[in-house]
Amino acid sequence: MTKLNGKLQYRLSNGSWVDCDDRTDEFLNLCVKNDYHKYTMDQVVGILNSVEKVRNDVSDWYSECRIKPVEKRAPVLKEWEPDTESYGY
């Protein structure tokens, strides 16, 4: 079986995403069982690893799973200092 490239999350009805943690296998099995494409487990994991969402229930519009996005932070910039005083700073 292919391994997930991150933490699996599922979406709540209010739009928030929650980590599956110890329920990861349960949600992966729901994705295989309930997605209308009839994917295999390897296909579901491959889709999730390619940063796509997969349905885990057929009755609710928000029932999706995804891999948790990597949090990106801007680099810390040091304060700028002029090279010389000839620029008039």
Side-chain angles (χ1 to χ4, degrees):
M1 185 174 114
T2 312
K3 188 175 178 182
L4 289 172
N5 291 339
K7 284 189 171 187
L8 188 66
Q9 292 186 319
Y10 65 96
R11 189 160 77 175
L12 300 175
S13 60
N14 65 2
S16 299
W17 289 93
V18 179
D19 292 345
C20 292
D21 293 329
D22 57 341
R23 296 178 65 196
T24 299
D25 291 336
E26 176 187 344
F27 278 96
L28 281 174
N29 288 329
L30 286 172
C31 289
V32 170
K33 178 183 170 191
N34 293 321
D35 195 82
Y36 69 92
H37 292 99
K38 305 297 181 203
Y39 292 129
T40 64
M41 182 63 77
D42 286 336
Q43 288 174 317
V44 167
V45 172
I47 291 167
L48 289 168
N49 285 338
S50 67
V51 195
E52 294 293 325
K53 298 173 190 158
V54 179
R55 305 235 357 118
N56 61 34
D57 191 2
V58 293
S59 61
D60 295 318
W61 64 270
Y62 57 83
S63 298
E64 294 179 318
C65 287
R66 71 173 184 185
I67 298 291
K68 185 175 185 174
V70 177
E71 200 173 301
K72 296 180 182 178
R73 294 183 178 217
V76 177
L77 302 175
K78 65 179 188 174
E79 190 173 325
W80 181 80
E81 294 180 20
D83 293 336
T84 64
E85 292 185 15
S86 63
Y87 292 108
Y89 295 108

